């Protein structure tokens, strides 16, 4: 799981960000307008927006890296590295994925 910070204030760019992800075949959730998912037969990529941070994770690292590269072209983002905490929940990494605790 990786975290990126938007250097612009997201709420001024959120509509552009939302349209950008829809253009990449991501789908939003009706219950949470800040969560997006891309799903195919073998690929699953999640994108969560929190204030001016973007959490990106998925089951294929190469696709996550490709998404981040596309985001960098469209938006000014800064890599904050691996996610350690999310909403005050610790993220632990293991061989088979991650665990919230």
């Amino acid at each position: 799981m990786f975290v990126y910070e938007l250097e612009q204030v997201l709420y001024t760019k959120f509509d552009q960000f939302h349209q950008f992800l829809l253009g990449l075949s991501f789908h939003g959730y009706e219950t949470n307008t800040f969560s997006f998912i891309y799903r195919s037969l073998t690929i699953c990529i999640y994108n969560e927006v929190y204030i001016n941070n973007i959490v990106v994770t998925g089951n294929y690292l190469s696709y996550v890296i490709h998404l981040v590269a596309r985001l960098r072209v469209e938006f000014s983002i800064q890599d904050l590295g691996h996610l350690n905490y999310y909403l005050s929940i610790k993220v632990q990494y293991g061989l088979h994925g991650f665990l919230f605790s």
Side-chain angles (χ1 to χ4, degrees):
M1 226 182 270
F2 303 95
V3 181
Y4 297 89
E5 180 178 24
L6 279 169
E7 294 178 356
Q8 308 100 320
V9 178
L10 184 60
Y11 61 82
T12 61
K13 294 275 193 177
F14 184 74
D15 196 41
Q16 179 185 353
F17 184 79
H18 180 245
Q19 293 302 320
F20 174 77
L21 289 177
L22 292 178
L24 294 177
S25 300
F26 276 78
H27 299 281
Y29 293 97
E30 290 181 22
T31 56
N32 184 350
T33 58
F34 299 105
S35 296
F36 302 92
I37 186 170
Y38 172 83
R39 207 179 276 172
S40 71
L41 292 175
T42 58
I43 302 166
C44 191
I45 299 177
Y46 295 97
N47 192 325
E48 176 78 26
V49 178
Y50 180 70
I51 304 177
N52 64 332
N53 294 326
I54 306 166
V55 177
V56 181
T57 190
N59 63 340
Y60 277 91
L61 183 59
S62 61
Y63 286 94
V64 171
I65 291 169
H66 177 72
L67 171 62
V68 170
R70 296 282 306 268
L71 286 169
R72 283 198 170 125
V73 169
E74 290 292 320
F75 304 95
S76 180
I77 63 172
Q78 177 183 358
D79 187 349
L80 300 178
H82 286 282
L83 183 66
N84 295 313
Y85 286 90
Y86 184 70
L87 300 174
S88 300
I89 301 170
K90 184 169 177 56
V91 180
Q92 297 177 324
Y93 296 90
L95 293 175
H96 302 290
F98 53 88
L99 173 70
F100 291 102
S101 63

